[in-house]
Amino acid sequence: MTEGEFRYNMLIKAFPSRPSPGFEDAGEQQAVWGRRWGCTNDVGRLRMVLMHRPGDELKMVDPAKRIEHLGAYGDPETGWYWRGREIPDIATQQAQHDGLVAALREEGVEVVFLDRCAPGRMKSVYTRDQVIAVDGGAIVCRMGAPIRRGEEAPATETLARIGMPILRTIHGTGIMEGGSFAFITPKVAVVGLSSRVNEAGADQVEEVLRVQGVELLRVHLTGYRLHIDGAFVMIDVDTAIINPVQLPYWFLEKLKEMRIRTIEVHPDDPVWTINCLAVAPGRVLMADAVSPYTAEALDKAGISVRIVPYSAVYQGGGGIHCSTAPLVRDPI
């Protein structure tokens, strides 16, 4: 040992590394990353959300590419598809999206827009699927469908610009879309396995959550349904709106065990009713045309609902919940 080596080692001994407090600690987040990032729940006061205004990317829908037996337009070669008989009405979609943005801002939410839209990625408005915010940062997802693969890069660039830590990027053969992830409580989350979310993707999310002490439940969705937010969305600290015919019995029983009360949608509700967004505990933005049955059930449960017209955007396959990727929420 030389004298220089001795002094160097004693210096490092005197100034040791400090694993604690952890990365997610509020003080650490503020000191290193400028603010506390991420979400530990789905209903705390929403502070920041990632969105994309629909635009020219929708012009790739070709009316000549009608697939009658599927009731849709599409091109298997390039992977794009559009359900229904009406092609996108971009002006109406933009107007309704602008209305949602205005409502969010009036609710005190900071709206961050994607820096750009990946070329031809016609479903980029559904930013929920691109990013999952967890305690302290974000998990960048990996889209399952070819028409959506590529949305990840603009989301990553935008997160980097605003300074949000990226804790994981789904890689390998993992696929994960944020619409199929939900916090039930700060310590229990759920992921819906489907054609858009596989076990490899769920495993990678679980690795991040495990470090934070969060349990991840796995629910196998029925048929070719894509995301769990078509059947389950938290709207208060102890309340979820659900479609019980799309959820397995064991999960319904698990919710009871956890003392999560459920409000079941009614057959008279539009399909986008359940795809709503909590902006605070018991305060929800919901698309128009909610049935009287569900409106009454929400009122009895003490849920405050703000109606936002959104039917034109839903024609692309996603509602208000799909169109918003929370980046920062208050703890509950």
Side-chain angles (χ1 to χ4, degrees), residues 24 39-42 132-136 139 167 181-191 202-218 258:
E24 299 84 3
C39 305
T40 59
N41 62 83
D42 277 6
I132 297 171
V134 297
D135 196 7
I139 298 171
L167 307 185
F181 173 87
F183 281 105
I184 305 174
T185 72
K187 291 300 179 184
V188 180
V190 61
V191 65
D203 286 345
Q204 292 180 47
V205 171
E206 188 172 44
E207 288 176 1
V208 176
L209 294 177
R210 187 181 299 120
V211 174
Q212 301 178 351
V214 179
E215 178 187 4
L216 183 65
L217 306 177
R218 286 166 163 80
M258 296 175 65

Side-chain angles (χ1 to χ4, degrees), residues 10-296:
M10 292 305 100
L11 177 67
I12 299 304
K13 178 181 178 182
F15 294 91
S17 297
R18 297 178 181 176
S20 296
F23 180 93
E24 299 84 3
D25 177 80
E28 281 285 291
Q29 288 265 304
Q30 182 67 44
V32 179
W33 298 98
R35 68 174 299 167
R36 185 165 190 173
W37 290 98
C39 305
T40 59
N41 62 83
D42 277 6
V43 299
R45 173 67 65 180
L46 184 58
R47 299 295 180 181
M48 183 185 291
V49 69
L50 180 68
M51 299 182 72
H52 170 68
R53 188 176 192 257
D56 288 346
E57 67 274 8
L58 289 165
K59 292 180 180 179
M60 73 180 300
V61 177
D62 183 355
K65 300 283 188 177
R66 182 70 183 170
I67 308 174
E68 281 297 338
H69 72 285
L70 296 179
Y73 301 91
D75 182 358
E77 291 295 319
T78 57
W80 71 263
Y81 64 89
W82 184 265
R83 293 186 294 170
R85 290 201 165 272
E86 298 180 14
I87 64 172
D89 180 344
I90 299 176
T92 302
Q93 284 202 26
Q94 289 176 333
Q96 291 189 347
H97 192 270
D98 292 346
L100 175 58
V101 170
L104 284 162
R105 286 173 171 161
E106 289 171 9
E107 296 288 335
V109 182
E110 179 182 354
V111 177
V112 174
F113 289 100
L114 287 177
D115 287 351
R116 64 181 178 91
C117 180
R121 295 302 173 254
M122 52 175 284
K123 293 183 180 288
S124 293
V125 64
Y126 306 126
T127 53
R128 170 77 57 163
D129 296 326
Q130 301 160 11
V131 175
I132 297 171
V134 297
D135 196 7
I139 298 171
V140 175
C141 297
R142 182 169 183 258
M143 305 294 105
I147 190 58
R148 302 206 64 179
R149 187 75 51 76
E151 293 178 28
E152 303 92 338
T156 301
E157 293 163 13
T158 306
L159 296 180
R161 175 179 60 80
I162 65 175
M164 186 173 189
I166 296 175
L167 307 185
R168 185 74 175 240
T169 299
I170 303 301
H171 60 277
T173 56
I175 54 174
M176 170 63 62
E177 298 182 356
S180 222
F181 173 87
F183 281 105
I184 305 174
T185 72
K187 291 300 179 184
V188 180
V190 61
V191 65
L193 296 172
S194 68
S195 66
R196 299 294 179 86
V197 178
N198 62 13
E199 288 283 1
D203 286 345
Q204 292 180 47
V205 171
E206 188 172 44
E207 288 176 1
V208 176
L209 294 177
R210 187 181 299 120
V211 174
Q212 301 178 351
V214 179
E215 178 187 4
L216 183 65
L217 306 177
R218 286 166 163 80
V219 168
H220 289 265
L221 301 184
T222 58
Y224 290 93
R225 298 191 184 279
L226 304 184
H227 302 136
I228 201 168
D229 65 359
F232 172 84
V233 173
M234 292 295 297
I235 55 177
D236 202 348
V237 292
D238 62 351
T239 307
I241 186 167
I242 69 168
N243 183 339
V245 304
Q246 295 180 18
L247 297 170
Y249 175 72
W250 77 261
F251 183 64
L252 297 175
E253 289 296 294
K254 180 68 174 180
L255 294 175
K256 288 182 184 178
E257 178 187 321
M258 296 175 65
R259 298 186 178 180
I260 301 296
R261 60 179 178 170
T262 56
I263 296 173
E264 300 174 354
V265 291
H266 189 272
D268 289 351
D269 285 311
V271 290
W272 58 75
T273 294
I274 201 167
N275 201 262
C276 59
L277 175 72
V279 293
R283 173 68 169 169
V284 177
L285 302 188
M286 186 172 283
D288 48 330
V290 179
S291 74
Y293 307 97
T294 300
E296 181 180 6

